[in-house]
Amino acid sequence: MTLFLTSSPSGCPFEPSPCPALDRKNGLITRLRAAWPEEPPEGLYLAADPEAHGANDEACRFFAGCLADAGLPLDGLTPCDSRNADEIGQLLPRCNFLILGGGHVPTQNRFFSEIGLPALIQSYEGLILSISAGSMNAAQIVYAQPEEPGEATDPLYCRWMTGLGLTSVSIWPHYQFSKDKAVDGVPLMDIALADSKHRPFIGLPDGSYILCADGHETLYGEGWYFSNGRVSLINEEGEELPLW
């Protein structure tokens, strides 16, 4: 399995977005091309919201176009949501390219659990491009910052949950924007620093990504390490950092 953990592969804060092209920073396209199958792969887009059928169809059109424009053609990109979730056992084995889509992290986490993806994906050997929430849910332990009104003050909202187990890295995406935002009047940076006392995670700006392949995980581009209530810049734009 080759896994690209991105905040946003098009360099935009939310997906789909008005940026119809893959981000060229930090060698993303070059490394995707190096990992791309010789024949156009059949793709599967694993949605965050299984009921957002229109948005999921649009996301497939958007990303298929971005990939084609970058010289990375697909033999189709099928959305996996509530319309065909019961077919995941047949869909996954026939595809050799997956996109783990962006959206609301707990909603996607619940959907993945309901369709049995954490177990099914362990035998997958193809290429994965994960985006925002998809990158967060790819982790063994998912760090889910509050996003929607009420979540920051809800004592039952769980910021740590079990993910797909594809990487040991927990990320906080869209870091260049998220670090200055607040939910329910609570700064997300304050929440992040407090949460980092429990487990470390990486703040990943759009345009940066982590490549997981051949037993190695490498950060490309800017990244911020949160641990023990502190945050520090561990890698800069245009540079690479082996993580483990």
Side-chain angles (χ1 to χ4, degrees):
M1 180 190 300
T2 299
L3 169 63
F4 287 80
L5 295 166
T6 78
S7 173
S8 168
S10 67
C12 300
F14 303 104
E15 303 291 358
S17 67
C19 305
L22 293 183
D23 197 325
R24 294 187 175 276
K25 293 196 301 291
N26 299 303
L28 174 63
I29 296 177
T30 299
R31 291 187 176 89
L32 274 171
R33 284 176 179 161
W36 207 253
E38 291 186 9
E39 298 295 327
E42 183 172 350
L44 187 66
Y45 178 89
L46 290 145
D49 184 348
E51 303 304 328
H53 300 162
N56 297 337
D57 290 342
E58 176 57 29
C60 286
R61 287 191 290 270
F62 175 84
F63 287 115
C66 288
L67 290 162
D69 288 346
L72 302 167
L74 289 168
D75 184 18
L77 182 59
T78 302
C80 177
D81 53 25
S82 64
R83 293 170 290 184
N84 57 359
D86 58 347
E87 302 172 21
I88 186 63
Q90 293 76 48
L91 291 170
L92 194 63
R94 80 180 193 206
C95 294
N96 49 346
F97 175 69
L98 305 181
I99 294 180
L100 306 181
H104 187 240
V105 180
T107 300
Q108 185 182 58
N109 188 277
R110 184 166 53 251
F111 175 54
F112 285 179
S113 178
E114 288 172 351
I115 65 176
L117 189 62
L120 290 171
I121 205 167
Q122 300 308 313
S123 58
Y124 176 77
E125 297 181 351
L127 177 61
I128 303 177
L129 176 65
S130 64
I131 303 165
S132 189
S135 294
M136 298 162 80
N137 277 316
Q140 294 172 350
I141 303 297
V142 180
Y143 177 49
Q145 273 259 3
E147 293 181 61
E148 298 185 348
E151 290 181 345
T153 54
D154 183 357
L156 299 180
Y157 180 80
C158 182
R159 295 198 290 273
W160 304 99
M161 56 190 73
T162 302
L164 296 177
L166 304 180
T167 174
S168 58
V169 180
S170 302
I171 75 161
W172 179 20
H174 313 304
Y175 180 72
Q176 78 279 18
F177 294 107
S178 301
K179 63 183 177 63
D180 298 320
K181 290 186 175 293
V183 174
D184 302 323
V186 183
L188 293 183
M189 180 62 79
D190 290 353
I191 295 174
L193 290 171
D195 288 343
S196 73
K197 296 177 182 178
H198 301 284
R199 291 187 64 91
F201 53 90
I202 291 177
L204 200 65
D206 296 341
S208 299
Y209 61 95
I210 297 168
L211 173 56
C212 309
D214 301 321
H216 301 286
E217 301 188 337
T218 304
L219 168 63
Y220 294 93
E222 183 181 323
W224 297 78
Y225 185 69
F226 284 77
S227 181
N228 297 319
R230 298 180 180 180
V231 58
S232 59
L233 178 67
I234 56 171
N235 202 50
E236 297 191 6
E237 188 71 15
E239 297 184 352
E240 63 182 77
L241 176 69
L243 297 175
W244 33 72

